[in-house]
Amino acid sequence: MHFASPQVLLLLFALPVLFYISHYRRRPASLRFSSTARLAALETTLRVRCQRWLPALRYLALALLVVALARPQQGQERVRDLSRGIAIQMVLDRSGSMAEEMAFDGQVMNRLDVVKRVFKEFVAGNGDSLDGRPNDLIGLVAFAGYADTIAPLTLGHDTLLNLVDDIQLVQLKSEDGTAIGDGLALAAARLKTAEESQMRVNARIGSDYEIKSKIIILLTDGQNNRGEMEPEEAARLAKDWGIKVYVIGIGDDPETGRFSGPFAQLAQMQQRNLNEDSLSRLADLTGGIYRRAGSGNALREIYEEIGALETSEIESLRYLDYQERFLPFGLGGLILLLAEAALQATWLRRHP
């Protein structure tokens, strides 16, 4: 119970004062009799006993009216979170070259597995340097010789993370390759319609979610050699649609990487497939950044940098949801006053 005007309740302290003035300071009416002995011997009737309690109706009525004037209300304060998140479209390379080994947390695994594990940390958080992206719409596109949507943009990240586990290296040689342009174009198209789709979802579930900005995070270890669209053409589309592209090149730096043994020359040739100038132009064209990740820990640091650049916002809107409850108290007080007046004028009337 909540009172809109609690200061009015101070009037309750005036009721004992009124009672004292009315019953102990007021001189009662009297009649002269030669003797009251016979009157004292009379039996006290129910009507006389009830007359003693008649003032109680009046003071109880006044107390109820005071409570009504204080405007009792029932309900609670509600909090509604208004989220302004980022729409993030991940674009992951699953071509055959992603089977190359990569270091991560003291282990050696293929590049695709490292990319998947760090991506899951980026989405869900790792309890340390990555806080997760709970308020962001996140979708996933994977590509090799062609691009495919793995998960649509969603706030349901549990399902998204389960789908990440299902991404595998390309198996058929005919499907291998690196279609960066097609993957980028598909992700941009998904983001272009994201705001309209989210508006429909908001209307259906009564949400206030708002897309603050749209970004693509592209991860690849090669250069475009398949597909119908050139990467720069896809980047220009993304720019026209207000989408920033963050590009991550996967692989060791040829100047500082770990190349030794009989396969060193082959490894260096594979690294040269990563066209950093082209990838950097994609990022610059859309207002994003390009970074190279030579290990899983380096990849995690790049995600930390992107996370700091693209922050979501949560605003808590507090509002009161109360219902007025003064009417029962007010009616109760009026009924008691009318009852006192009626009894005082009829059955409990005093003489004189």
Side-chain angles (χ1 to χ4, degrees):
M1 185 71 74
H2 167 85
F3 291 96
S5 304
Q7 64 275 11
V8 176
L9 296 175
L10 294 174
L11 293 175
L12 293 174
F13 294 103
L15 297 182
V17 178
L18 291 176
F19 178 81
Y20 175 77
I21 293 174
S22 299
H23 291 78
Y24 293 98
R25 299 298 299 269
R26 187 184 67 178
R27 181 174 297 178
S30 61
L31 290 174
R32 289 181 177 272
F33 283 90
S34 58
S35 174
T36 60
R38 291 187 177 183
L39 293 175
L42 295 175
E43 182 181 354
T44 303
T45 64
L46 175 62
R47 181 173 146 187
V48 172
R49 286 197 297 269
C50 289
Q51 282 180 338
R52 299 172 185 172
W53 296 101
L54 192 59
L57 292 177
R58 181 185 315 145
Y59 291 104
L60 181 57
L62 291 175
L64 290 174
L65 291 175
V66 169
V67 172
L69 288 173
R71 288 182 58 200
Q73 299 171 328
Q74 192 172 37
Q76 61 183 348
E77 183 181 54
R78 297 178 182 265
V79 179
R80 186 175 64 192
D81 289 332
L82 304 177
S83 297
R84 299 183 68 223
I86 315 297
I88 303 173
Q89 189 71 59
M90 305 296 303
V91 183
L92 306 183
D93 187 344
R94 68 181 191 95
S95 61
S97 59
M98 291 291 285
E100 292 296 317
E101 292 182 345
M102 190 176 195
F104 178 61
D105 283 350
Q107 304 178 53
V108 176
M109 56 187 73
N110 69 51
R111 292 171 178 171
L112 181 60
D113 285 341
V114 173
V115 166
K116 285 160 48 174
R117 288 182 60 173
V118 181
F119 169 62
K120 291 171 72 173
E121 289 185 9
F122 176 68
V123 174
N126 60 7
D128 186 14
S129 55
L130 292 171
D131 296 327
R133 312 293 300 192
N135 302 300
D136 295 334
L137 283 166
I138 302 179
L140 180 58
V141 168
F143 68 92
Y146 61 90
D148 190 22
T149 298
I150 305 300
L153 288 159
T154 180
L155 287 168
H157 296 165
D158 290 341
T159 302
L160 171 68
L161 296 180
N162 289 332
L163 292 172
V164 171
D165 291 330
D166 295 334
I167 299 176
Q168 302 296 326
L169 292 165
V170 65
Q171 300 297 315
L172 300 177
K173 187 175 181 180
S174 61
E175 296 179 355
D176 201 2
T178 309
I180 295 176
D182 285 1
L184 191 57
L186 178 58
R190 295 292 186 188
L191 286 170
K192 183 178 183 296
T193 59
E195 288 169 308
E196 296 177 0
S197 300
Q198 189 58 38
M199 288 177 63
R200 290 194 294 269
V201 172
N202 288 351
R204 187 173 68 250
I205 66 175
S207 172
D208 296 290
Y209 186 88
E210 178 184 350
I211 295 176
K212 178 184 175 183
S213 64
K214 302 183 290 292
I215 69 169
I216 292 172
I217 302 177
L218 169 66
L219 298 100
T220 183
D221 69 343
Q223 58 181 316
N224 191 74
N225 55 25
R226 290 286 298 273
E228 299 180 0
M229 182 170 287
E230 291 297 319
E232 290 195 19
E233 183 182 356
R236 283 191 289 271
L237 278 178
K239 179 183 178 182
D240 292 341
W241 294 337
I243 302 168
K244 286 187 289 187
V245 180
Y246 294 90
V247 184
I248 303 175
I250 303 297
D252 295 310
D253 190 331
E255 302 298 327
T256 61
R258 45 178 182 82
F259 299 106
S260 60
F263 299 103
Q265 185 177 2
L266 176 60
Q268 288 177 339
M269 290 176 62
Q270 290 174 330
Q271 285 299 327
R272 284 196 291 271
N273 285 336
L274 186 62
N275 190 334
E276 293 195 273
D277 290 338
S278 175
L279 296 177
S280 183
R281 283 196 300 272
L282 299 183
D284 292 341
L285 185 62
T286 61
I289 59 173
Y290 169 76
R291 296 289 185 267
R292 172 192 278 271
S295 67
N297 291 332
L299 180 58
R300 184 185 285 143
E301 291 175 359
I302 295 170
Y303 273 119
E304 291 172 18
E305 182 180 1
I306 294 174
L309 292 172
E310 300 290 341
T311 57
S312 302
E313 300 177 9
I314 305 176
E315 177 186 359
S316 291
L317 175 65
R318 297 180 178 271
Y319 63 98
L320 302 180
D321 183 20
Y322 288 119
Q323 293 181 332
E324 298 287 347
R325 291 288 185 258
F326 68 88
L327 188 58
F329 294 96
L331 286 177
L334 291 175
I335 290 171
L336 290 178
L337 285 178
L338 291 174
E340 186 216 6
L343 290 172
Q344 201 170 37
T346 55
W347 185 55
L348 298 182
R349 182 176 183 182
R350 287 178 176 271
H351 300 281

